[in-house]
Amino acid sequence: MNAPYDEPGPERRSEPERCWPQRAGEPESWLRRAHHPLPEAPSAEAFAALAAQLEGEGRPWIGWQEGQTRYLAGGSLASWSFAPQGAFQEAARVGSRIRERVVVDPGPAATLLQLPLLWHGFAFAAGPWSGDDPPLKPSEEWPGAELRLPSWLLYAHGEQAGLVVHAWVGSGDDPAAVQTRLNERVKSLLGAAQAPVPDPPAPQLRVLRGEADALEFQERVAALSAAMQRELEPGQAAKVVLSRRAEVESCGTFDAAATWLALGRQPGVRAFAWSRGQGGQLVGASPELLVALRGDRVESEALAGTAPLDAAEWLARDPKNAREHALVTQAVSEVLRERCGEVQQGQVGLRALRDLVHLQTPLSGPRRPEHDLLELASALHPTPALGGTPRAFARPWLAGEERGWFGAPLGYSDQAGGGELLVTIRSALLRGTRAELFAGAGILPESDPVSEWRETELKLLAAAGALRTRAPRAQEAVSE
């Protein structure tokens, strides 16, 4: 298919004052959102088929699946990259200016208001640094943050579905010509979504540095636990999350679209994929919500404490996991109380996944207009579920790790400023025939290095089990 996925627009801009096209002698362009309802919702396989076609053409795309909700954001009408420091504030400023320039048809205005408009991805190192904090290591390949305005969005909510197409419109453009161009793109995109997507079995994987990585991680756990006992006051609440990176190799090229499809079948998760075209693909199945703005409510959760699925009863009674979970709950609750005035805290429960079970506590509060989605995310990230407490003690340990986009916020914001951001755990970075898997474990003073290593193994296996490679025919088609 030779569809014009991407309209002309700014690429990789980082200057908020000039972040959309402007023709000489004309006012700044406006962003036109055209909505086309579909008679029936495309299947998950149809979403993956269109994503696979984008991937084969080297075009960027973003995928999101949660229950019966699916989004596929294709192409890049415009995108902005930011350095880690101040990334949330810069992304919020650019996003606000884009929303001011959106125009929609009166009919679907209410529908478009709640659909994703902008997509946000951050590195773990993103955030407001203080002068006393040792800086976290930035990713060597991916930016500190990326804000992307896709060319189009295919969505499905249960039986409701549609396609939203974006275009820059200047004062000198002919409205009829713009509409004709949009209609042609819609027709071409819907035709591509009918192609089947191969569903290959999980490939055989070869683990690189498996034994050496295990020993190194256990040594780090032992050193951290000893430092907690030595440097902190007796009884002082403390937790630091250490991460592991495991690299695996396959005979075939990893398929981000098929992996995203497989991840979306897992219960209790938000399956995500962020493809940068030729720059690699981050895929994962996260059970953890960082923050969501829905109407007049702010929602978050504490998710900490892990066990195999068949050990749920043990997890509910284990004192070490209960203390770890309480630290996260307290930290998230304090941030929400400062910004919401009051917090509704649910009961501690069990979040059952395909292979694992977590302790989970829902938290929410009333939304205040002075706190937008990214400001809340900046205040929450990283929670002790991925970072640590006390902050002054934890930060030097975190500064020694290069996490890239692992454990960081990723999600979308809508036209009204609402949206949601997950935490990119249970994730993998795909690069050709190699994949880098990420997992973490919360370390307390009494942590056992072998037990913590086993916990990360369970999490890594959960991510590795969904990896897929391209079918031979698909690989040949891309190389031709």
Side-chain angles (χ1 to χ4, degrees):
M1 176 180 63
N2 296 317
Y5 287 105
D6 305 310
E7 293 287 333
E11 283 295 326
R12 306 289 171 218
R13 293 287 184 98
S14 59
E15 309 87 352
E17 281 67 33
R18 292 298 306 275
C19 51
W20 34 77
Q22 183 176 11
R23 298 186 179 96
E26 292 186 358
E28 290 179 324
S29 298
W30 299 88
L31 177 64
R32 169 73 185 277
R33 302 190 80 193
H35 178 258
H36 300 263
L38 302 179
E40 61 182 56
S43 65
E45 290 76 13
F47 276 78
L50 194 48
Q53 185 148 357
L54 289 167
E55 193 67 44
E57 296 176 355
R59 297 181 181 274
W61 60 277
I62 299 167
W64 181 284
Q65 297 186 71
E66 180 187 3
Q68 295 301 306
T69 296
R70 301 185 189 94
Y71 299 125
L72 177 62
S76 176
L77 193 64
S79 64
W80 298 262
S81 296
F82 307 100
Q85 188 171 5
F88 290 98
Q89 292 77 9
E90 288 298 301
R93 181 163 58 162
V94 174
S96 177
R97 296 197 65 189
I98 292 173
R99 291 186 185 93
E100 294 172 354
R101 284 159 172 76
V102 173
V103 292
V104 299
D105 294 332
T111 299
L112 286 171
L113 201 64
Q114 301 178 30
L115 289 173
L117 171 66
L118 300 170
W119 291 84
H120 308 270
F122 295 87
F124 184 79
W129 300 341
S130 71
D132 297 330
D133 287 334
L136 302 179
K137 288 185 178 181
S139 171
E140 295 181 355
E141 301 176 69
W142 286 42
E146 182 178 347
L147 168 63
R148 188 181 300 175
L149 171 62
S151 296
W152 48 267
L153 175 77
L154 180 66
Y155 75 90
H157 298 295
E159 297 301 317
Q160 294 184 338
L163 181 66
V164 181
V165 181
H166 297 150
W168 296 115
V169 180
S171 60
D173 290 328
D174 178 13
V178 171
Q179 188 61 52
T180 299
R181 186 169 74 251
L182 292 174
N183 290 341
E184 291 174 351
R185 296 176 66 207
V186 168
K187 182 179 179 180
S188 186
L189 288 165
L190 294 180
Q194 307 307 315
V197 63
D199 192 8
Q204 295 292 321
L205 302 176
R206 183 169 71 93
V207 179
L208 308 177
R209 291 190 71 251
E211 184 176 351
D213 175 70
L215 293 174
E216 178 186 351
F217 182 76
Q218 292 177 48
E219 290 173 355
R220 290 166 59 207
V221 172
L224 175 55
S225 294
M228 288 178 169
Q229 297 172 22
R230 183 177 62 252
E231 299 176 23
L232 299 177
E233 296 294 330
Q236 183 178 3
K239 173 190 174 183
V240 177
V241 176
L242 293 182
S243 66
R244 280 184 62 195
R245 305 192 327 172
E247 193 170 13
V248 298
E249 188 175 40
S250 173
C251 293
T253 301
F254 284 108
D255 188 328
T259 299
W260 176 55
L261 177 63
L263 291 168
R265 294 172 178 153
Q266 297 184 11
V269 301
R270 294 170 178 84
F272 63 90
W274 188 292
S275 173
R276 305 187 75 227
Q278 302 296 337
Q281 307 87 29
L282 181 72
V283 297
S286 175
E288 184 173 358
L289 173 70
L290 180 66
V291 64
L293 288 185
R294 298 187 177 100
D296 60 356
R297 300 294 295 175
V298 177
E299 299 177 12
S300 187
E301 67 179 351
L303 193 79
T306 306
L309 186 58
D310 58 4
E313 293 185 5
W314 170 85
L315 178 64
R317 301 189 304 267
D318 179 58
K320 184 265 183 184
N321 279 286
R323 285 193 294 274
E324 181 182 346
H325 184 78
L327 286 171
V328 178
T329 303
Q330 179 181 354
V332 175
S333 180
E334 288 176 354
V335 172
L336 294 187
R337 186 169 289 107
E338 290 175 358
R339 287 157 177 79
C340 300
E342 60 183 73
V343 178
Q344 285 73 51
Q345 179 174 320
Q347 295 295 318
V348 180
L350 295 174
R351 170 76 64 80
L353 309 180
R354 187 188 63 179
D355 305 302
L356 302 170
V357 61
H358 297 289
L359 295 177
Q360 185 257 0
T361 298
L363 298 155
S364 64
R367 176 181 181 177
R368 289 178 171 175
E370 62 267 29
H371 300 300
D372 61 29
L373 180 70
L374 296 188
E375 192 274 334
L376 290 164
S378 176
L380 286 165
H381 172 71
T383 73
L386 271 298
T389 187
R391 179 188 176 98
F393 174 83
R395 190 74 180 217
W397 290 89
L398 300 178
E401 300 185 337
E402 182 189 330
R403 298 191 181 183
W405 279 33
F406 167 68
L410 183 150
Y412 64 86
S413 60
D414 58 33
Q415 193 175 317
E420 59 182 293
L421 297 166
L422 54 75
V423 182
T424 56
I425 58 177
R426 314 298 140 74
S427 58
L429 182 59
L430 309 182
R431 301 187 191 91
T433 60
R434 291 194 174 188
E436 194 171 19
L437 308 174
F438 303 90
I443 310 304
L444 303 184
E446 67 270 30
S447 288
D448 172 59
V450 175
S451 297
E452 301 296 351
W453 170 77
R454 287 173 178 164
E455 178 181 322
T456 60
E457 281 290 287
L458 288 172
K459 294 174 178 177
L460 291 171
L461 288 171
L467 294 178
R468 298 292 186 269
T469 54
R470 293 177 184 165
R473 181 176 300 178
Q475 293 187 54
E476 294 168 5
V478 170
S479 64
E480 290 177 355

